[in-house]
Amino acid sequence: MPVAVVVGTQWGDEGKAKVIDLLAESHSHVVRYQGGHNAGHTVVVGDQRYALQLIPSGVLYDHVTPVIGNGVVVDLPTLFKEIDSLESRGISCSKLLVSSLSQLIFPWHQHLDALHESKLGDAKIGTTLKGIGPAYADKALRVGLRAGMVRDIAQFAELVRQRGTDAHAMIVALGGEPFDVEAIVVQFTELGKRLQPYVADTVNALHAAIESGSNVLLEGAQATFLDLDHGTYPFVTSSNPTAGGACAGTGIGPRSITRVVGIAKAYTTRVGSGPFPTELIGELGDKIVDIGHEFGTVTGRRRRPGWLDLVMLRHAVRINSLTEIALTKLDVLDTFEEVRICVGYSLNGKQLDGYPDDSNVLGEVMAQYVDLPGWKQELCNHRSYDQLPARAKALIELVEKHVGVPVSIIGVGPERDACVVRS
Ligand code: GDP
Ligand code: IMO
Ligand code: MG
């Protein structure tokens, strides 16, 4: 199995990092392929909790080479803060490779993100305000600066000055606050020098690893329904978290990929605005948020809770060619009398065929549920599928039957070993 992809199947925060950490044990390289520091990936090992934003979740293993792929937008202050924090805790980042083709985020991207959001008023996306959309917009406009440009630091400084001056004029014209371009040039010249030893031709490095028989793991951030093309547009992020994005974002072609693991929570959450057919407002939703600690790692925002939606999950299976599903946080439902699973949508009393291609329609559908009795016991100590209560297995088997791929991993707690891996 040379190349595997891990992809979120809902609206993010499915527990991707925990599964990547688990799979990283048998992989030599873990590669982020899109997004930036809008991601918040949590790995718990013993009594240590690591919250990662840019560095791939495989970094905790000595044998793993963590790679930031060409599809990522890199915020240098965050990158170095994260490296310093990990190294102060005894985790080496010396093997980290940053693709020369990855794009850099600058402070003006964050100003623009905030400006766009404030202009949208009540219709705002609810972005993380990290400058992700404006940085990808510059990439598409072909004016973005790439990590590889720091190899010639004098030229890089001049390019930062030029882009900064243009961005300043645009932001002031849009009614935003003026900012000190020269201070950014000085700051980013220093950051650029620090980046130099990490910059690499990662496309070449990854192909060399694959050709020598190594296993490579591609780490998605965000998720299928935050995908710029396939998500609930415009309430999406500005990259392609879906499995296709893993090819574009690493330079590895689709025929090398043999395993695509979709991560789904046993319920659903979303942060920010947008339609959510199975959203739970009220006591049961609060219970999920409390037990599941559903607050964003990056922004601290309360995540909106809802039931598991198999219409969406089946769509995610198709879009990503999932070979299997990791169903996480099943333990969060331990105390529920009843667990609801959405198995269909209707609109104005009419059954829909599947996931609609219009976010406005998604906002109006009625979710149709199957109600399953709760198992009412703790799952956190379970390690084999056979040991699981029949009622928990019934939920897993309903998922498999409905979406057509096996559930290979079941999460029963935040810790590294708190899962059931089915052979
Ligand atoms: P990611 O963005 O997809 O990597 O997910 P996050 O790290 O943002 O959010 C998932 C949260 O759930 C983290 O706090 C994890 O430690 C935690 N978590 C992951 N898997 C499980 C699980 O199976 N059970 C429980 N209770 N917590 C989990
Ligand atoms: P991980 O990798 C959950 C959401 C934001 C907002 C929308 C656009 O931890 O699963 P952006 O800043 O990307 O332009 O915001 O996307 N969003 C996430 N939600 N988990 C994430 O990452 C997210 N990254 C972005 O809340 O609705
Ligand atoms: Mg997260």
Side-chain angles (χ1 to χ4, degrees):
M1 285 234 173
V3 183
V5 182
V6 168
V7 57
T9 64
Q10 295 160 327
W11 281 294
D13 305 320
E14 295 92 347
K16 297 178 289 294
K18 185 194 141 172
V19 176
I20 289 155
D21 171 72
L22 180 80
L23 299 177
E25 203 172 3
S26 55
H27 290 78
S28 68
H29 293 67
V30 178
V31 194
R32 269 285 300 272
Y33 60 82
Q34 44 65 238
H37 63 314
N38 48 348
H41 294 176
T42 318
V43 181
V44 180
V45 184
D47 61 357
Q48 296 291 308
R49 183 177 170 277
Y50 301 90
L52 304 162
Q53 287 181 261
L54 268 172
I55 307 227
S57 306
V59 69
L60 303 183
Y61 291 101
D62 286 340
H63 72 272
V64 166
T65 300
V67 180
I68 294 184
N70 58 274
V72 176
V73 283
V74 183
D75 183 75
L76 293 179
T78 305
L79 178 69
F80 292 121
K81 203 169 138 205
E82 211 168 309
I83 291 176
D84 290 344
S85 160
L86 285 167
E87 297 206 322
S88 74
R89 297 171 72 183
I91 308 291
S92 170
C93 296
S94 61
K95 289 203 284 184
L96 175 73
L97 303 179
V98 179
S99 170
S100 52
L101 310 183
S102 62
Q103 295 277 326
L104 299 179
I105 297 186
F106 289 91
W108 52 81
H109 292 128
Q110 279 137 22
H111 290 308
L112 281 167
D113 202 349
L115 208 54
H116 292 318
E117 283 286 86
S118 72
K119 284 194 183 298
L120 284 170
D122 287 345
K124 72 176 182 183
I125 312 279
T127 75
T128 58
L129 301 176
K130 300 294 183 192
I132 305 296
Y136 276 117
D138 275 358
K139 177 181 178 178
L141 284 169
R142 294 150 297 181
V143 297
L145 301 191
R146 288 173 153 186
M149 290 174 172
V150 304
R151 287 169 174 153
D152 181 340
I153 202 71
Q155 196 180 48
F156 175 69
E158 189 42 41
L159 286 167
V160 175
R161 183 172 289 112
Q162 283 174 20
R163 298 287 184 270
T165 307
D166 290 348
H168 183 266
M170 180 164 66
I171 286 169
V172 172
L174 286 171
E177 291 293 312
F179 57 90
D180 186 347
V181 176
E182 272 318 302
I184 295 174
V185 175
V186 171
Q187 182 196 6
F188 275 75
T189 305
E190 285 313 302
L191 290 167
K193 284 185 201 156
R194 195 173 169 195
L195 182 66
Q196 283 171 337
Y198 297 99
V199 174
D201 178 347
T202 56
V203 176
N204 191 36
L206 292 172
H207 281 281
I210 294 167
E211 283 155 20
S212 71
S214 297
N215 292 339
V216 171
L217 184 60
L218 310 184
E219 169 174 359
Q222 290 83 50
T224 302
F225 293 95
L226 288 173
D227 186 282
L228 184 55
D229 290 270
H230 299 288
T232 47
Y233 191 89
F235 304 104
V236 292
T237 193
S238 298
S239 65
N240 291 114
T242 42
C247 294
T250 58
I252 296 173
R255 286 203 300 133
S256 302
I257 296 169
T258 49
R259 185 178 186 193
V260 187
V261 186
I263 316 298
K265 268 197 264 222
Y267 49 93
T268 308
T269 60
R270 113 168 267 177
V271 200
S273 322
F276 187 170
T278 64
E279 184 164 16
L280 264 171
I281 294 162
E283 231 174 81
L284 280 177
D286 290 343
K287 188 170 167 181
I288 288 182
V289 170
D290 284 351
I291 301 175
H293 306 293
E294 296 297 352
F295 293 90
T297 328
V298 175
T299 59
R301 287 180 291 177
R302 181 185 187 274
R303 296 172 181 151
R304 296 158 60 192
W307 296 116
L308 180 61
D309 184 337
L310 297 186
V311 181
M312 290 179 69
L313 193 53
R314 192 168 52 183
H315 194 64
V317 169
R318 288 171 141 187
I319 299 280
N320 298 294
S321 295
L322 297 186
T323 56
E324 63 204 90
I325 285 169
L327 192 69
T328 61
K329 303 190 89 161
L330 192 59
D331 55 297
V332 172
L333 303 175
D334 282 353
T335 58
F336 282 64
E337 292 294 335
E338 208 166 54
V339 176
R340 308 196 90 183
I341 311 279
C342 168
V343 292
Y345 294 155
S346 67
L347 184 68
N348 303 325
K350 239 183 96 191
Q351 184 75 29
L352 296 190
D353 280 345
Y355 181 77
D357 66 351
D358 181 334
S359 294
N360 291 326
V361 173
L362 189 71
E364 284 168 22
V365 298
M366 289 278 289
Q368 298 164 325
Y369 292 102
V370 165
D371 292 331
L372 299 176
W375 42 92
K376 305 290 297 284
Q377 57 176 285
E378 275 193 5
L379 297 186
C380 64
N381 295 318
H382 287 269
R383 295 292 177 271
S384 89
Y385 188 73
D386 293 341
Q387 283 175 14
L388 287 176
R391 288 174 171 184
K393 285 191 212 160
L395 185 153
I396 294 160
E397 282 153 27
L398 176 72
V399 172
E400 291 180 322
K401 189 165 156 244
H402 204 86
V403 305
V405 294
V407 173
S408 58
I409 299 169
I410 298 136
V412 293
E415 303 78 21
R416 180 179 264 176
D417 69 333
C419 57
V420 171
V421 180
R422 286 164 93 188
S423 45

